[in-house]
């Protein structure tokens, strides 16, 4: 799909005070106030620079010119009932069964479907903007407060000021959603900036899985997609959150995710980065009650000049919680992968089990992987480990496969798929494994 | 059998790539279709090096002589081309490939043999896989495990024979497949080889071993003794029996003299 260059006109919404006001025009007062406050924080917060540890390897000053971007204000999306773009439709067809679907085009929710029996049980799946305007009390309490507040940093502040729409999913106590709820997001405008949010609340002993997929054509100008993801799992709930980043080249994906796992709940995440030119994910998992558990999985495959940067933290606030992180990446061309992770065992969090592993496979001379695992331990009775590896394709493995008749190309493909596949096998959600595997194979064909 | 050898190794010399000293110092070996040859020899004498040079391991560099397979110059071929031509090596130390299931691996290997555009029949494949696993008394769930990943020594060896039984080569080089097998497993593996032999009488086997015991089950036509990069004696099964009794001392002495 070719894209006409969109250069911001004077009338196009820019990142600025006026756009914040415009975005909030139809919002209730509390939300307008929250946007204004966030904007003030944004303005007072310096742009992260490579002088800070957390942004050392992703140079925003060089990679992102915020002033050039046209803010997707939710007014430019297709009309209700309009045909969805082909690539979006095709990827949706590849999804397995779903309990609910929500489609977001250029920062606006254009359709919502939810299994009727779930709706009858009180499950809410809706446009975040609609729900906020209707005054849902959960949103008022939880949106940009307890999970990803504006005070978290420059981009959380910008998102809280400028978000145009997003998803609200709430599953009442004891309700189980067997099949995944899926969000399919499409960004069409080159040079645009989309600010979107996800708020998921799994009440006590409920179960859900949520898969978010972001797609776009290739862009001739830097195009920003900024997400703020807030996930709450109350006592005994089981939640899986998956993000598939499959933007076209030129895409700049910037995600702020925080998960809050209460007593005896499970809150697992999977971040897959395959597309875009730059991807930066900040993920903070908070373990807030005994028996809480978070498996944190990540998979990235970069080629050409793709740049993926993951900044993760595992906060063991409560004693006797468990977290296990595994991020694996393959890097080809002159791609760069950065993983920076920290396990923080808070004071008194005895009986913590926390693990962190990052493994990288380098497929070319020019690809670079940087891995910075870290531990900060404030209790004595803990089991923690962290490890990082950066390696090349195992020549013995390739010979072994070739000695069975596989060409070098096929042997390499199999080894890379096997390497990355370990991540998928730990969170085998319907539709996700096949889709990601196919996307990796397609990328490997170009190698 | 007076037909031409399927494998003809003549005056073969080889070294580790970029090193000075040859490990193989002039190996001569001819195997005719359907023959079973055993190679015995002390540790470090070059048996695995010979096997890997035949299979095309990139770490080794032939420095002289020739290896002919079915009339083709094997040394000019890539490892996958050799496999396609019918060469199979069961590794002394099978390699672990995390995340790649045995079933997926073998399916890919069989698919690789087909012409472009031809698709492997998955039903036939499944049937073949199950049949061969039964022959080797392997649990079907094994097919879903990652290749050699976390396998016991014996499981790895059995997995090598499974691959051989599926790929059905015309020359099988088995490098110490009997090492690390318990008595029952040894019989199962030997029975597997004999069954393949029965199904395909033309299959040739080069069996590298330290022990007489496998030769009680798989009867060799010829037994070679390899010492210091050369084959120093060839004969019938009695050669293996003599070795069992006397060891390699006399060969070493003779060679040093
Ligand atoms: N890749 C290698 N790098 C360095 N030396 C090697 C390499 N491969 C083989 N050698 C050396 O070559 C010699 C022959 O090794 P090889 O593995 O062929 O012996 P072998 O007869 O198979 O021994 P074993 O009975 O112990 O399996 C040994 O001295 C070994 O150390
Ligand atoms: Mg050996």
């Amino acid at each position: 799909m070719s894209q006409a260059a969109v250069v911001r006109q004077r009338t196009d919404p820019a990142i600025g005070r006026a756009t914040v006001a415009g975005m909030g025009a139809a919002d209730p007062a509390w939300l307008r106030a929250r946007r204004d406050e966030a904007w003030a924080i944004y303005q007072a917060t310096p742009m992260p620079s490579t002088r800070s540890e957390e942004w050392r390897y992703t140079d925003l000053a060089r990679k992102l010119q915020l002033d050039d971007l046209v803010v997707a204000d939710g007014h430019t999306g297709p009309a209700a009932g309009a045909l969805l773009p082909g690539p979006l439709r095709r990827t949706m067809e590849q999804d397995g069964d779903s309990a609910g679907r929500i489609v977001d085009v250029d920062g606006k929710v254009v359709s919502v479907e939810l299994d009727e029996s779930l709706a009858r049980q009180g499950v809410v799946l809706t446009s975040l903007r609609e729900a906020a305007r209707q005054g849902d009390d959960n949103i008022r309490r939880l949106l940009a407060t307890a999970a990803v507040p504006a005070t978290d940093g420059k981009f959380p502040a910008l998102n809280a000021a400028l978000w145009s729409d997003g998803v609200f999913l709430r599953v009442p106590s004891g309700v189980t959603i067997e099949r995944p709820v899926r969000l399919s997001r499409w960004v069409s405008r080159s040079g645009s900036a989309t600010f979107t949010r996800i708020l998921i609340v799994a009440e006590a002993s409920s179960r859900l899985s949520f898969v978010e997929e972001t797609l776009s054509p290739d862009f001739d100008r830097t195009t920003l997609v900024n997400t703020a993801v807030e996930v709450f799992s109350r006592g005994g709930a089981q939640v899986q959150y998956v993000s598939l980043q499959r933007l076209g080249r030129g895409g700049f994906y910037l995600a702020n995710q925080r998960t809050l796992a209460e007593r005896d709940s499970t809150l697992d995440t999977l971040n897959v980065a395959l597309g875009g030119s730059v991807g930066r994910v900040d993920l903070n998992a908070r373990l807030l009650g005994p028996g809480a558990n978070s498996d944190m999985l990540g998979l990235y495959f970069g080629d050409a000049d793709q740049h993926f940067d993951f900044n993760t933290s595992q906060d063991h606030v409560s004693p006797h919680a468990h977290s296990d992180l595994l991020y694996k990446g393959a890097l080809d061309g002159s791609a760069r992968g950065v993983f920076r992770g920290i396990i923080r065992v808070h004071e008194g969090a005895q009986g913590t089990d926390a693990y962190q592993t990052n493994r990288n496979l380098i497929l070319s001379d020019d690809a670079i992987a940087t891995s910075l695992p870290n531990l900060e331990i404030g209790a004595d009775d803990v089991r923690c480990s962290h490890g990082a590896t950066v390696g090349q394709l195992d020549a013995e493995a390739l010979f072994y496969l070739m000695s069975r008749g596989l060409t070098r190309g096929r042997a390499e493909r199999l080894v890379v798929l096997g390497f990355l596949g370990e991540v998928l096998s730990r969170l085998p959600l319907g539709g996700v494994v096949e889709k990601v595997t196919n996307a990796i194979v397609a990328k490997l064909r170009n190698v | 059998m007076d037909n031409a050898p399927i494998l003809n190794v003549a005056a073969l010399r080889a070294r580790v790539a970029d090193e000075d000293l040859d490990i193989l110092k002039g190996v001569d070996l001819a195997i005719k279709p359907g023959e079973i040859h055993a190679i015995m020899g002390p540790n470090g004498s070059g048996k695995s090096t010979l096997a890997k040079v035949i299979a095309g391991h990139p770490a080794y560099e032939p420095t002289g002589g020739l290896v002919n397979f079915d009339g083709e110059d094997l040394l000019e071929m890539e490892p996958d081309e050799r496999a396609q031509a019918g060469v199979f090596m069961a590794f002394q130390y099978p390699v672990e490939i995390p995340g790649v299931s045995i079933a997926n691996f073998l399916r890919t290997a069989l698919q690789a043999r087909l012409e472009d555009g031809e698709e492997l029949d998955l039903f036939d494949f499944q049937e073949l896989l199950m049949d061969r696993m039964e022959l080797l008394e392997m649990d079907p769930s094994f097919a879903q495990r990652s290749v050699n990943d976390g396998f016991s020594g014996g499981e790895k060896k059995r997995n090598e024979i499974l691959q051989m039984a599926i790929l059905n080569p015309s020359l099988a080089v088995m490098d110490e497949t009997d090492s690390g097998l318990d008595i029952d497993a040894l019989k199962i593996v030997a029975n597997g080889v004999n069954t393949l032999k029965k199904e395909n009488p033309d299959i040739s086997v080069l069996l590298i071993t330290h022990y007489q015991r496998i030769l009680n089950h798989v009867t060799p036509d010829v037994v070679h003794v390899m010492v210091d990069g050369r084959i120093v004696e060839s004969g019938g099964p009695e050669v293996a029996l003599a070795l069992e009794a006397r060891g390699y001392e006399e060969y070493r002495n003779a060679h040093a003299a």
Side-chain angles (χ1 to χ4, degrees), chain B residues 16 23 41-50 59-60 92-93 176 210:
Chain B
V16 173
I23 300 171
N43 295 131
S45 55
K47 304 180 298 296
S48 293
T49 301
L50 174 63
Y60 301 89
Q92 181 175 2
Y93 303 109
E176 293 200 30
H210 286 293

Side-chain angles (χ1 to χ4, degrees), chain A residues 231-309:
Chain A
V231 188
F232 298 82
S233 65
R234 308 296 193 201
Q238 291 179 40
V239 177
Q240 296 172 317
Y241 165 82
V242 178
S243 160
L244 308 181
Q245 190 274 96
R246 301 180 60 197
L247 285 168
R249 298 305 151 106
F252 192 122
Y253 184 75
L254 220 167
N256 285 95
Q257 307 168 345
R258 179 164 286 149
T259 63
L260 292 90
E262 294 181 7
R263 169 184 282 270
D264 296 323
S265 73
T266 299
L267 213 175
D268 298 337
T269 55
L270 167 63
N271 272 294
V272 177
L274 297 170
S277 290
V278 184
R280 159 81 179 205
V281 175
D282 285 82
L283 166 62
N284 174 227
R286 297 179 77 79
L287 290 302
L288 299 175
N293 178 67
S294 279
D295 276 0
M296 302 159 72
L297 301 165
L299 182 163
Y300 45 103
F301 183 4
D303 59 23
D305 60 353
Q306 284 185 306
H307 177 107
F308 297 130
D309 183 349

